[in-house]
Amino acid sequence: MAHDVWVRGPIGLDAASRVTRPGCRTVLAVVPTVTAGTRLFELISLLERDLRVQVMFTVPHSTDRWAGVEEYVRAQHGLLLPWEQAVAHRFDLVLAASHRHLDQVRGPLMLIGHGVGQVRPRRFSRKGGATAETTGLDRELITFRGRVLPAVLGLATESEIGVLRDRCPEALSAAVVAGDLCLDGMRAAEGRRERYRRALGVGSRRLVVLSSTWFTDSAFGRVPRMYEAIVNALPEDRYAVAAVLHPNIWAVHGRRQVTAWLGGCRGLRVIPPEQGWQATMIAADWVIGDHGSTTGYAAAMGRPVTLAALPDGQARTGSVADIVRARTKALDAEQPLECQEQAAIAAAPRLAAEVLPAVSSRIDCSAGISRSAMYRLLGLSEPDTLAYPPLPAMPRPLPGWGS
């Protein structure tokens, strides 16, 4: 996109001369990463059908922008505004699932998390080193020059209220415990499990999903040879294997390189970063993962879990990653995989019972709470229909994989 060329869209002083639907409330979604974008598209699904609402998107410009984000938004057919145009206008509602650049946008802001909860699994930041503990609710992230940035700060659990009270008490008035829209959508889609499995070509075989967050302490960072080893070790007539990698892995290393690294994994179903991981987790019989959100969601859904990697340093006490670590076994290269699978199956019910309340305090209620919060900021009456979470899209492995 040429950043000095503005879009002739539904905002601006002369917008009335070109719009077909006049008088709409304007909503801006700020999409700095694919991960944030997937969360925002879930949230936007709760209001975008309203004839009174116009949704737009923007990708912040900075010197360290993640690759592929504009292409991702365009592939979803969102109206994409140049960043310079977006920050020059005031919107009736701004939606964000990341803390990046929020001081620059104008309009009442609703900020939600882009993973499991707003409290990170690590005690320390990837960038800051092991010097001071950090959370997603720190004052430096949600205020700017003494001003609380979000008008609504969406939290997943009641326990996050306590973290906020400790880290940034001035933001308590903005906090709304809304639960987890992603989890609720996955729970609502459990009845589609067989459809998802058919889309993955699993048949009657057991589906093993290899899940990895990003960074050097992730499963893909620590044990990259695990993917080929597991594919080769499991009998092909009884098992199918899929890989779910964090979007930042693809953004940093590039699709060509990531698929080349996995090139020796014959039959591996590689799930693209844009969509499909939720459905793949629903379809799974066993998840081998790490401290990332995808593994946490799998555990909350009752899927058996084995850990292939843990974060550098300690996982945050009480976090989803910490609970998963305490209730699962580590992958052991010396032990038969099928024995480790049986151990994970035996531990799954207790794991789910402990993880589920750590993921959400508003099980199956997030759509209604989130929609009410957005309409309150928009100053519009809510539709008289029930709000439902969006169901996960069908999983579509990358072409050429899984055959």
Side-chain angles (χ1 to χ4, degrees):
M1 179 187 294
H3 301 314
D4 57 342
V5 177
W6 287 22
V7 170
R8 289 177 59 83
I11 58 170
L13 294 177
D14 57 346
S17 67
R18 55 180 175 264
V19 296
T20 301
R21 285 286 307 145
C24 288
R25 296 287 205 277
T26 56
V27 179
L28 177 71
V30 181
V31 188
T33 65
V34 171
T35 309
T38 58
R39 290 309 176 97
L40 293 178
F41 278 106
E42 291 174 349
L43 192 62
I44 286 163
S45 72
L46 301 177
L47 55 71
E48 65 183 343
R49 293 185 180 183
D50 195 319
L51 291 171
R52 302 169 295 173
V53 171
Q54 164 74 60
V55 180
M56 290 157 274
F57 301 83
T58 191
V59 175
H61 295 159
S62 66
T63 56
D64 63 347
R65 185 172 49 168
W66 296 94
V69 185
E70 287 189 359
E71 293 82 353
Y72 164 71
V73 177
R74 290 188 186 283
Q76 314 307 312
H77 307 289
L79 178 59
L80 184 60
L81 303 180
W83 178 243
E84 293 85 355
Q85 183 177 10
V87 298
H89 290 84
R90 181 176 180 83
F91 296 84
D92 297 307
L93 173 63
V94 178
L95 300 175
S98 167
H99 300 96
R100 294 168 177 260
H101 311 288
L102 298 184
D103 59 296
Q104 299 178 53
V105 291
R106 292 188 282 180
L109 168 68
M110 181 169 173
L111 174 63
I112 62 172
H114 59 260
V116 170
Q118 290 271 30
V119 179
R120 295 166 177 166
R122 291 177 175 81
R123 289 180 59 200
F124 305 103
S125 169
R126 291 183 180 95
K127 296 180 180 179
T131 56
E133 290 195 23
T134 182
T135 76
L137 300 174
D138 293 351
R139 178 176 285 113
E140 65 186 58
L141 296 176
I142 55 180
T143 68
F144 179 72
R145 295 181 178 175
R147 174 172 64 95
V148 175
L149 292 170
V152 169
L153 178 60
L155 304 181
T157 65
E158 294 286 352
S159 65
E160 291 175 353
I161 292 286
V163 176
L164 185 63
R165 183 176 291 111
D166 178 57
R167 293 285 181 165
C168 189
E170 60 268 39
L172 282 169
S173 62
V176 173
V177 180
D180 190 302
L181 190 61
C182 175
L183 174 67
D184 288 356
M186 293 175 73
R187 286 170 55 85
E190 276 278 36
R192 295 189 170 195
R193 174 175 159 83
E194 290 306 317
R195 293 174 61 186
Y196 292 151
R197 290 173 63 84
R198 284 197 297 272
L200 290 165
V202 173
S204 61
R205 292 176 293 173
R206 297 188 64 76
L207 175 62
V208 181
V209 178
L210 309 180
S211 169
S212 180
T213 187
W214 66 290
F215 205 56
T216 55
D217 57 358
S218 68
F220 192 63
R222 283 262 166 85
V223 283
R225 296 186 185 280
M226 170 188 74
Y227 295 77
E228 186 171 1
I230 287 178
V231 167
N232 290 337
L234 292 173
E236 193 175 358
D237 62 333
R238 292 169 49 210
Y239 287 89
V241 186
V244 171
L245 304 180
H246 193 285
N248 286 355
I249 296 175
W250 300 92
V252 170
H253 296 288
R255 184 166 297 200
R256 182 184 179 91
Q257 183 63 77
V258 173
T259 54
W261 280 333
L262 295 172
C265 305
R266 191 175 71 87
L268 181 68
R269 289 149 175 79
V270 180
I271 306 303
E274 299 86 10
Q275 68 175 41
W277 73 262
Q278 295 102 321
T280 303
M281 290 302 175
I282 293 170
D285 294 295
W286 182 26
V287 174
I288 301 175
D290 54 21
H291 49 280
S293 292
T294 51
T295 306
Y297 282 115
M301 293 293 293
R303 301 305 181 258
V305 171
T306 299
L307 287 182
L310 289 170
D312 287 333
Q314 281 183 281
R316 184 178 304 282
T317 301
S319 67
V320 171
D322 185 47
I323 297 170
V324 173
R325 177 202 58 77
R327 296 299 177 205
T328 58
K329 293 184 179 296
L331 187 67
D332 187 344
E334 303 301 319
Q335 296 295 319
L337 286 174
E338 294 180 56
C339 293
Q340 297 185 68
E341 179 190 12
Q342 291 306 311
I345 291 170
R350 183 176 180 184
L351 175 63
E354 295 193 23
V355 168
L356 191 60
V359 174
S360 173
S361 295
R362 301 289 186 271
I363 301 295
D364 301 330
C365 296
S366 184
I369 298 170
S370 299
R371 190 179 75 173
S372 292
M374 289 189 288
Y375 274 88
R376 173 166 60 84
L377 295 183
L378 283 168
L380 291 174
S381 59
E382 270 194 83
D384 56 9
T385 56
L386 292 176
Y388 295 100
L391 299 179
M394 283 290 168
R396 303 188 188 282
L398 291 177
W401 293 84
S403 58

